[in-house]
Amino acid sequence: MNERSSVAELADSLRREVERYPEGRKLPSSRALMERHQVSPVTVSRAIAVLVAEGLVVSRPGAGVFRAAAFAAAPDSPAAPAARPGDLSWQEVALSADSGPRDLLAAPVFATLRVPPPDVVDLNSGYPHASLLPERLLAAALARAGRRPGAWDRPPTDGLTELRGWFARDIGGHAGPISAGDVLITSGGQGGLTVAMRSLAAPGSPVLVESPTYSGILAVIRAAGLRPVPVPIDAEGVRTELLADAFEATRARVFVCQPLFQNPTGAVLSPARRAEVLRIARAAGAFVIEDDFARLLVHADAPALPRPLAADDQDGVVVHLRSLTKAASPNLRVGALTARGPALARLRATQVVDSFFVPRPLQEATLELVSDPAWARHLRTLGAELRDRRTAAVAALHRELPGVLDAYRPGGYHLWLRFPDGTDDAALAATALRAGVQVTPGRPYHAAEPPAPHLRLSYAAADSPAQVAEGIHRLRTAYGELAG
């Protein structure tokens, strides 16, 4: 049983028990609850926290946990009075003046964050399984960060100088063109994308994107009131002749790309096209937003990685985005934007208005994490684990669904599967979920009508290579059911 379901079950049991207690009565000790319910100390602590948040109990450090004096039944309790819904219909009129339903824009992002039931194999999420994340290392870094002098002082709006310096070296190299003064610490990759889009493109203007591309990029563009214009890619990355045509036709001033292990195709921008992308953008007077989201997810059997585009940019064309979230934890929402000149000033102004700054304790913990020698060891271990899951996925696809996988690169966390024309990828994803595996339909990765049906399969969130293979077996069952 997973931790989340154990917490919910224990909270339900305690909730029923507390209802029978007189006000002020003390609950059994944590040790007694552990022995009675056969759960861990963490489960007991979290279940008690649920009841405290509901107002059913109060926790008194050193004394214990007691039924609250003013007991209010939990919302799901039979004793709770039926709530009378108010008339919320006025909100439909009030919100109609906006550009449209935001839930439609956010639907693909919600889909990528959806946690499946325990009996469903997760081949959807882009976050590695908890067993692949450095939780002990993070806990130690957080503890050390809390003891740093001034850990709770207000940080510089651009971020801690030491952390900005680390990102500058990691992105551009020790003698590269990027300095700490060119770095802005952001709230994760998605937050950095939002700041960049709102800073560099005027409302209503076109933004060039790879096709297909990460659905979260399209959501950010549309939420900012911008218009995504697709530029097709192939195995070598964006097709530069079409990129030049798109700049000329649209007069766009921004191109968003993922040159390394592109999401969802896994493509890596070829050396010849790297120089062309920078030349074309410079000639168009446009920025290239380089979303370098997967650099820390390189597999153990991968060749040497190409440098970031930002490391070869002398003219301030590239605005580089890097995040540590995928390799560290979904909760370590710390990233960095790098830019130079007026572009950096614009990024800084947008972020400070939106959110002031990234919390200092989180920045301090991040600095402790990346400065620890164990961080490099974790990345090597993660690369080996991702390689093993990818190998299992490729073998299972060749065995179970031959022909759907064209090519792959040894990095990232996903595979792009091409199904026969006429396949409804949304229906296939829904059928797969009923068969016990969660995958992502290809349609949300396209800014316009998709040229063919696809699924994106992520192997990072599975708990083992064997579970990856089992998920693909269930996908084959679903495809057979859909195909009749």
Side-chain angles (χ1 to χ4, degrees):
M1 182 181 298
N2 64 35
E3 185 72 31
R4 186 169 57 251
S5 61
S6 298
V7 170
E9 290 182 4
L10 179 57
D12 286 341
S13 176
L14 294 178
R15 195 179 289 114
R16 291 190 296 270
E17 184 176 334
V18 165
E19 290 176 0
R20 301 192 297 269
Y21 282 17
E23 295 180 359
R25 178 173 173 178
K26 184 178 180 180
L27 271 66
S29 68
S30 294
R31 182 179 297 277
L33 293 175
M34 288 164 51
E35 294 174 354
R36 180 192 306 174
H37 296 278
Q38 293 297 296
V39 294
S40 69
V42 173
T43 298
V44 171
S45 175
R46 291 178 177 173
I48 293 294
V50 170
L51 270 60
V52 170
E54 293 175 355
L56 304 183
V57 300
V58 292
S59 178
R60 298 171 188 164
V65 179
F66 302 81
R67 176 175 171 175
F71 174 75
D76 295 333
S77 169
R84 178 175 298 175
D87 181 6
L88 305 179
S89 57
W90 66 271
Q91 293 187 3
E92 186 174 354
V93 178
L95 295 172
S96 64
D98 203 349
S99 57
R102 292 298 177 93
D103 57 341
L104 298 180
L105 297 178
V109 180
F110 280 124
T112 63
L113 298 175
R114 185 181 301 127
V115 178
D119 58 341
V120 172
V121 177
D122 187 355
L123 299 183
N124 166 71
S125 175
Y127 292 114
H129 189 267
S131 63
L132 303 183
L133 298 178
E135 293 188 353
R136 290 185 179 179
L137 189 59
L138 283 164
L142 193 61
R144 292 195 302 271
R147 295 192 294 269
R148 283 187 169 215
W152 289 93
D153 290 350
R154 187 177 69 193
T157 55
D158 287 6
L160 298 180
T161 302
E162 298 91 339
L163 185 58
R164 294 161 66 203
W166 180 86
F167 272 111
R169 294 187 297 274
D170 196 58
I171 295 166
H174 285 272
I178 301 170
S179 69
D182 302 323
V183 178
L184 174 67
I185 301 301
T186 68
S187 180
Q190 196 73 6
L193 278 172
T194 300
V195 169
M197 296 299 179
R198 294 184 57 236
S199 300
L200 304 177
S205 64
V207 173
L208 305 187
V209 297
E210 296 169 315
S211 182
T213 191
Y214 167 49
S215 56
I217 289 176
L218 297 176
V220 167
I221 291 172
R222 289 170 174 144
L226 306 170
R227 178 167 55 89
V229 177
V231 182
I233 66 173
D234 58 22
E236 296 184 48
V238 65
R239 294 178 55 184
T240 47
E241 78 280 11
L242 298 180
L243 178 65
D245 291 344
F247 270 124
E248 183 177 358
T250 63
R251 304 299 179 192
R253 291 293 179 263
V254 175
F255 169 50
V256 190
C257 65
Q258 296 176 324
L260 185 65
F261 308 134
Q262 197 260 0
N263 184 3
T265 68
V268 176
L269 190 62
S270 67
R273 292 188 187 180
R274 287 168 57 88
E276 273 293 281
V277 166
L278 296 181
R279 183 192 64 79
I280 291 169
R282 182 68 184 88
F287 293 101
V288 174
I289 298 177
E290 179 185 19
D291 180 12
D292 200 14
F293 74 102
R295 187 162 293 271
L296 301 182
L297 304 179
V298 59
H299 298 174
D301 56 349
L305 298 186
R307 285 151 52 95
L309 292 179
D312 296 327
D313 171 39
Q314 300 294 331
D315 299 324
V317 171
V318 178
V319 173
H320 183 94
L321 175 62
R322 177 74 61 82
S323 172
L324 300 176
T325 302
K326 287 282 195 296
S329 168
N331 293 295
L332 191 75
R333 305 214 59 79
V334 173
L337 282 167
T338 69
R340 283 177 288 162
L344 178 60
R346 183 71 64 87
L347 295 170
R348 295 176 66 242
T350 299
Q351 172 156 294
V352 78
V353 169
D354 281 355
S355 57
F356 288 0
F357 48 77
V358 176
R360 182 165 190 149
L362 200 56
Q363 294 190 56
E364 297 278 10
T366 302
L367 192 57
E368 288 283 351
L369 176 69
V370 299
S371 301
D372 193 318
W375 172 244
R377 293 196 295 271
H378 159 66
L379 294 180
R380 290 193 295 271
T381 301
L382 178 60
E385 293 284 355
L386 291 176
R387 174 203 59 199
D388 294 346
R389 283 161 174 75
R390 182 213 72 217
T391 301
V394 171
L397 287 168
H398 288 326
R399 181 175 64 249
E400 305 272 7
L401 291 165
V404 302
L405 178 62
D406 183 18
Y408 65 88
R409 297 283 188 149
Y413 54 83
H414 50 267
L415 300 170
W416 189 233
L417 311 183
R418 166 70 155 88
F419 284 83
D421 291 343
T423 304
D424 185 334
D425 55 13
L428 177 54
T431 305
L433 187 60
R434 291 195 296 272
V437 58
Q438 182 169 294
V439 292
T440 316
R443 176 64 184 86
Y445 293 86
H446 292 271
E449 290 78 7
H454 287 85
L455 289 182
R456 193 199 73 166
L457 184 150
S458 169
Y459 44 79
D463 67 9
S464 67
Q467 191 180 61
V468 173
E470 171 60 24
I472 292 171
H473 176 72
R474 296 181 187 185
L475 178 59
R476 186 200 68 174
T477 301
Y479 180 63
E481 177 184 336
L482 190 68

